[in-house]
Amino acid sequence: MKIGIIGTGKVARALGKALGRNRYHLMFGSRDPQKAKALGAEIEHYGEGGSIANAIHYGEVVVLAVPFKAIESIARATDNFQNKIVIDPTNPLIFASTMADLAIGHNTSAAEQVAKMLPGAKVVKAFNTAFAHHIEQGPYFGPNDASMFYCGDDEGAKKSVRKIIEDVGFEPVDAGPLTSARMLEPMAALLLRLSNGMGMGNEIAFKLLTR
Ligand SMILES: NC(=O)c1ccc[n+]([C@@H]2O[C@H](COP(=O)([O-])OP(=O)(O)OC[C@H]3O[C@@H](n4cnc5c(N)ncnc54)[C@H](OP(=O)(O)O)[C@@H]3O)[C@@H](O)[C@H]2O)c1
């Protein structure tokens, strides 16, 4: 499967490395195509780099590994998201203190706003509730694999994203329709409050227990 990853930061790199190990074909897209090419060259098997438009065009799946605030300008610049599966890992966080907060929430979510900004795209919220280094290294905590919650309104798109989540090593948890992003985005704020505000450090992750 061909995956376009927009961004060259922590999440782009982490997902790129993890997916590269699993032999996905990747193209990174950046405002600076040279940065994207350099990151593509670090990928184990099939990594390329180019402009943001190149990565969107390339991907059957496109990952928005950018700040939430950046998506509006990306959306304005292209209508190439039609029928693409779009993974939204963004968290609309405010960092006024170590107690991370949400800029929006409760009756909407970043993911729902992304879906409005990218008409025709099949948006799936995923990879927002774990730290990038656990995405890169594998989310293995002793006998447990961390859970990765995902949600969206297109069942076919969710099936593809579930497989990606499994390949990266997380236990996938289907959280239902895209409106569930209203619950998943605050989980990222909680993770950061525990990590930074409460001093638990960054070797923590969410696990859903079942029996
Ligand atoms: N870090 C984590 O552990 C983590 C975990 C889960 C989810 N998230 C979420 O994932 C997203 C990415 O986080 P990150 O930690 O990877 O951030 P990051 O390291 O700051 O990287 C963000 C990337 O976005 C691109 N970018 C920034 N402004 C842009 C703009 N105006 N237009 C287009 N591209 C722009 C930049 O790439 P170029 O300079 O190459 O264009 C940059 O490398 C965020 O929404 C974050 O909330 C982060």
Side-chain angles (χ1 to χ4, degrees), residues 7-12 30-32 35 52 64-68 70 73-74 89-91 127-128 130-132:
T8 55
K10 292 181 280 299
V11 169
S30 170
R31 294 169 293 181
D32 174 356
K35 265 166 73 179
I52 292 174
L64 304 172
V66 296
F68 170 61
S73 60
I74 293 170
T90 68
N91 287 310
F127 292 108
N128 72 302
F131 287 122

Side-chain angles (χ1 to χ4, degrees), residues 65-112:
V66 296
F68 170 61
K69 280 187 298 190
I71 295 173
E72 198 175 357
S73 60
I74 293 170
R76 265 201 308 268
T78 177
D79 57 5
N80 272 356
F81 283 97
Q82 283 290 332
N83 289 319
K84 303 260 183 197
I85 297 171
V86 171
I87 297 180
D88 168 26
T90 68
N91 287 310
L93 299 171
I94 299 168
F95 292 101
S97 74
T98 54
M99 291 294 176
D101 232 324
L102 286 170
I104 55 167
H106 308 298
N107 58 7
T108 187
S109 61
E112 289 164 90

Side-chain angles (χ1 to χ4, degrees), residues 108-173:
T108 187
S109 61
E112 289 164 90
Q113 295 198 12
V114 167
K116 282 198 185 122
M117 286 184 242
L118 308 178
K122 300 165 190 171
V123 177
V124 179
K125 187 90 206 177
F127 292 108
N128 72 302
T129 56
F131 287 122
H133 64 281
H134 292 145
I135 297 172
E136 179 165 349
Q137 296 158 7
Y140 312 119
F141 290 75
N144 294 312
D145 299 344
S147 302
M148 178 56 69
F149 302 90
Y150 65 100
C151 66
D153 293 334
D154 185 290
E155 289 306 320
K158 278 169 66 171
K159 205 171 158 198
S160 299
V161 175
R162 182 183 183 91
K163 169 87 170 68
I164 291 169
I165 291 169
E166 278 171 346
D167 286 344
V168 172
F170 287 88
E171 173 208 51
V173 179

